[in-house]
Amino acid sequence: MSAVKQRLVYCSVAAVLTLVSQLYPNSLRTSQEGLKLLSGYEDCTLSSYSDSVGVPTCGIGHTKGVRMGTIATPEKVAQWFVEDVLEAEQCVIRYFNGAEMPQPVFDSTVSLVYNVGCYGTRWNTKLNKPTSIARYSQAGDWMGTCEHLADFRKAGGNVIPGLVNRRAKEQAWCLTYRQ
């Protein structure tokens, strides 16, 4: 039996961000710069694909309920994106002292949580304790928070060059809070 390879149908991140601003104005605390940062390392697809660790993904990094063969419209991708960013924002507010964060720190931490997930960002399962970024953010140490964004550069146990680059961009944006 031969496997049939699905053809990926791409969408424009910029077009989806425009739809987000039109369809969901003032729905997110994350700034426009933060949304660009967050989405800049994600593919935008209208058809599902298997990500680098085998998770079915569609839209802009959306995984909830996605199965191989899922097809979406740009409007659906915008809806998923807002839902996923809101979930990441709520995590940052609840577990990372997000209500007190300067905007660039908030944006960068939301980008990290969007990419890694809430639990994985706040709890180190190997050491059975909160992550460094969780401890620094809860203490209101924004410099420490920014410095520890780089801790999350692995997927499937391997350092991934794309994650190294993503964390460097998040960290650079995060550190603009000092200006």
Side-chain angles (χ1 to χ4, degrees), residues 119 123-131:
Y119 187 77
W123 191 257
N124 185 324
T125 54
K126 288 182 182 173
L127 300 176
N128 197 30
K129 67 179 189 177
T131 60

Side-chain angles (χ1 to χ4, degrees), residues 41-148:
Y41 282 92
E42 301 284 349
D43 284 329
C44 184
T45 64
L46 299 178
S47 56
S48 59
Y49 66 95
S50 185
D51 74 4
S52 65
V53 292
V55 177
T57 305
C58 191
I60 301 177
H62 181 73
T63 59
K64 281 196 185 86
V66 174
R67 291 179 171 58
M68 293 310 293
T70 297
I71 304 293
T73 64
E75 292 78 13
K76 187 65 171 175
V77 171
Q79 177 189 339
W80 284 339
F81 185 70
V82 169
E83 290 169 0
D84 293 344
V85 173
L86 278 170
E87 185 177 314
E89 288 181 349
Q90 291 164 358
C91 173
V92 171
I93 291 165
R94 181 172 182 186
Y95 297 107
F96 295 86
N97 196 14
E100 301 301 320
M101 284 180 170
Q103 191 65 49
V105 180
F106 183 82
D107 291 345
S108 299
T109 308
V110 167
S111 179
L112 175 69
V113 169
Y114 186 93
N115 180 239
V116 175
C118 186
Y119 187 77
T121 306
R122 66 185 173 91
W123 191 257
N124 185 324
T125 54
K126 288 182 182 173
L127 300 176
N128 197 30
K129 67 179 189 177
T131 60
S132 295
I133 196 168
R135 291 192 317 271
Y136 280 99
S137 62
Q138 289 165 355
D141 181 340
W142 309 131
M143 177 64 77
T145 300
C146 294
E147 288 173 357
H148 284 279

Side-chain angles (χ1 to χ4, degrees), residues 8-27:
L8 270 179
V9 178
Y10 289 93
C11 51
S12 162
V13 170
V16 170
L17 291 179
T18 298
L19 280 172
V20 166
S21 66
Q22 292 171 349
L23 299 174
Y24 305 95
N26 306 313
S27 295

Side-chain angles (χ1 to χ4, degrees), residues 136-178:
Y136 280 99
S137 62
Q138 289 165 355
D141 181 340
W142 309 131
M143 177 64 77
T145 300
C146 294
E147 288 173 357
H148 284 279
L149 287 164
D151 293 352
F152 300 87
R153 59 193 197 292
K154 291 182 179 180
N158 300 310
V159 174
I160 306 296
L163 291 177
V164 171
N165 295 337
R166 181 180 184 141
R167 300 301 169 245
K169 283 238 182 176
E170 289 166 345
Q171 192 171 49
W173 177 247
C174 190
L175 291 168
T176 64
Y177 84 91
R178 299 178 301 170

